[in-house]
């Protein structure tokens, strides 16, 4: 039974996702014994790292002409070398072991992060970023933390995702209500595909522990500072990560792509 972590890294004009990927891979290797890693890249983002076990190069890049690189993520199912896969995003860090997760996840075909958490570790069920979800009655899925196994049900889900991405203008204009997204974001794609496959969410699994801490400002509601991380002051001390004075124990989706540089400068 093979299991491992997978994510996409496609650089654009402003973000070096290869560098972020190495930081994420380091944190996974540090925290987990089950730590096989595969990163999917395009021709412009090919890189090597001792922390990454396998690099898969996209043969057909559906995002080749886009600054926002969402259009390939439905390919995770087809390109994953693992039987059991946890799909992540490059701008994340692991702050504790998740080895025990596999015992629960491997019993299912699909598990998503439902809702997210703020830096206080509170579950956040409603944000200004999710008005499209509320308007269209979509499940509050966060694609940045997804588990799937090679199965017919998971294949059906990712085939639906492919259809949504390939027909995005029609989906946006004729299926979704008041959607103006130029590109099909992975969160919306996953949520709509799951709504089609399971309209009543009767098989939607919502594990309390399968959620990440989100770094978007409105989720953390920091009103006393213009830059939230100047106030929360994330720091690493003796291989432990702290945010807002509290130690982190979950996956942290820090979101600010420049944060790692400043954090590495103040690692003790």
């Amino acid at each position: 039974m093979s299991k491992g972590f997978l994510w996409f890294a496609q650089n654009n004009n402003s973000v070096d996702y290869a560098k972020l990927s190495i930081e994420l891979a380091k944190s996974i290797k540090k925290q987990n014994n089950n730590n096989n890693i595969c990163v999917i890249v395009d021709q412009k983002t090919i890189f090597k790292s001792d922390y990454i076990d396998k690099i898969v190069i996209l043969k057909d890049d559906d995002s080749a002409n886009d600054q926002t690189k969402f259009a390939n993520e439905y390919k995770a199912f087809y390109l994953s070398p693992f039987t059991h896969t946890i799909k992540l995003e490059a701008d994340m860090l692991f702050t504790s072991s998740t080895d025990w997760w596999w015992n629960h996840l491997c019993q299912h075909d699909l598990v998503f992060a439902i809702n997210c958490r703020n830096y206080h570790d509170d579950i956040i069920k409603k944000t200004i970023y999710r008005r499209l979800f509320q308007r269209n009655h979509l499940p509050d899925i966060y694609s940045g933390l997804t588990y799937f196994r090679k199965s017919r049900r998971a294949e059906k889900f990712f085939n639906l995702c492919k259809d949504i991405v390939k027909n995005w203008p029609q989906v946006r204009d004729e299926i979704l209500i008041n959607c103006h997204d130029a590109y099909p974001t992975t969160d919306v794609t996953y949520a709509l595909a799951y709504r089609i496959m399971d309209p009543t969410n009767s098989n939607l699994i919502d594990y309390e522990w399968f959620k990440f801490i989100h770094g978007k400002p409105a989720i953390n509601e920091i009103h006393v500072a213009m830059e939230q991380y100047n106030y929360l002051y994330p720091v690493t001390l003796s291989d432990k990560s702290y945010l807002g004075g509290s130690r982190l124990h979950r996956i942290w989706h820090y979101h600010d792509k420049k944060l790692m540089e400043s954090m590495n400068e103040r690692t003790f």
Side-chain angles (χ1 to χ4, degrees), residues 63-109:
S63 291
N65 299 316
D66 303 336
Q67 269 295 99
T68 307
K69 307 289 187 178
F70 293 134
N72 292 302
E73 299 224 352
Y74 71 85
K75 301 174 184 177
F77 178 84
Y78 315 105
L79 296 178
S80 175
F82 310 119
T83 304
H84 301 268
T85 303
I86 293 177
K87 179 194 163 295
L88 306 166
E89 293 183 2
D91 53 342
M92 287 178 155
L93 284 180
F94 276 56
T95 63
S96 63
S97 174
T98 59
D99 281 333
W100 59 276
W101 283 10
W102 297 105
N103 298 324
H104 300 272
L105 297 174
C106 288
Q107 302 176 52
H108 306 286
D109 296 311

Side-chain angles (χ1 to χ4, degrees), residues 118-120 213-217 220-222 224-225 227-235 242-246 252 266:
N118 62 15
Y119 80 100
H120 288 300
I213 295 173
H214 211 313
K216 283 190 173 180
N220 290 311
E221 296 186 323
I222 303 298
V224 296
E227 298 289 339
Q228 66 165 347
Y229 286 132
N230 286 341
Y231 176 77
L232 296 175
Y233 201 75
V235 65
Y242 296 84
L243 182 64
S246 299
W252 178 28
R266 55 175 181 252

Side-chain angles (χ1 to χ4, degrees), residues 11-261:
N11 291 346
N12 57 28
N13 293 339
S14 59
V15 181
D16 186 345
Y17 284 99
K19 185 179 293 186
L20 300 184
S21 294
I22 293 171
E23 295 295 335
L24 172 54
K26 284 181 182 178
S27 71
I28 292 172
K29 296 291 189 185
K30 182 185 298 181
Q31 300 291 348
N32 291 300
N33 293 318
N34 296 313
N35 56 29
N36 294 320
I37 294 170
C38 173
V39 180
I40 302 171
V41 302
D42 55 29
Q43 292 289 343
K44 298 179 181 178
T45 318
I46 298 174
F47 67 100
K48 293 183 179 180
S49 170
D50 292 338
Y51 297 98
I52 295 170
D53 302 289
K54 186 176 181 64
I55 298 285
V56 174
I57 303 172
L58 288 164
K59 293 181 179 179
D60 299 306
D61 184 1
D62 292 348
S63 291
N65 299 316
D66 303 336
Q67 269 295 99
T68 307
K69 307 289 187 178
F70 293 134
N72 292 302
E73 299 224 352
Y74 71 85
K75 301 174 184 177
F77 178 84
Y78 315 105
L79 296 178
S80 175
F82 310 119
T83 304
H84 301 268
T85 303
I86 293 177
K87 179 194 163 295
L88 306 166
E89 293 183 2
D91 53 342
M92 287 178 155
L93 284 180
F94 276 56
T95 63
S96 63
S97 174
T98 59
D99 281 333
W100 59 276
W101 283 10
W102 297 105
N103 298 324
H104 300 272
L105 297 174
C106 288
Q107 302 176 52
H108 306 286
D109 296 311
L110 289 165
V111 182
F112 306 97
I114 309 299
N115 314 131
C116 63
R117 292 177 180 271
N118 62 15
Y119 80 100
H120 288 300
D121 206 31
D122 302 321
I123 295 176
I124 304 300
K125 296 186 176 182
K126 194 172 183 179
T127 80
I128 62 171
Y129 306 114
R130 293 270 156 150
R131 288 171 179 163
L132 177 65
F133 285 68
Q134 297 155 19
R135 193 160 52 240
N136 288 273
H137 303 285
L138 299 177
D140 196 29
I141 286 172
Y142 284 82
S143 63
L145 182 57
T146 299
Y147 161 82
F148 61 86
R149 70 180 176 188
K150 293 295 178 70
S151 64
R152 291 184 178 179
R153 184 165 179 263
E155 184 177 21
K156 179 181 178 181
F157 171 78
F158 282 98
N159 283 341
L160 280 169
C161 291
K162 177 181 179 180
D163 291 340
I164 291 168
V165 170
K166 292 291 188 181
N167 299 281
W168 177 245
Q170 183 180 5
V171 170
R172 177 190 61 207
D173 299 338
E174 299 180 20
I175 297 178
L176 292 171
I177 299 171
N178 198 19
C179 176
H180 306 287
D181 295 346
Y183 305 104
T185 66
T186 311
D187 285 348
V188 172
T189 299
Y190 276 27
L192 179 57
Y194 195 84
R195 173 74 192 280
I196 293 169
M197 195 167 75
D198 181 14
T200 62
N201 294 336
S202 58
N203 295 309
L204 185 63
I205 297 161
D206 182 7
Y207 281 131
E208 175 274 334
W209 42 265
F210 198 69
K211 308 179 194 298
F212 56 79
I213 295 173
H214 211 313
K216 283 190 173 180
I219 291 172
N220 290 311
E221 296 186 323
I222 303 298
H223 303 301
V224 296
M226 288 293 293
E227 298 289 339
Q228 66 165 347
Y229 286 132
N230 286 341
Y231 176 77
L232 296 175
Y233 201 75
V235 65
T236 300
L237 178 63
S238 300
D239 293 334
K240 298 177 178 64
S241 297
Y242 296 84
L243 182 64
S246 299
R247 184 183 171 189
L248 298 177
H249 295 277
R250 301 187 188 276
I251 296 175
W252 178 28
H253 183 16
Y254 51 85
H255 187 65
D256 182 346
K257 309 300 188 286
K258 298 179 180 179
L259 182 65
M260 281 299 98
E261 293 181 12

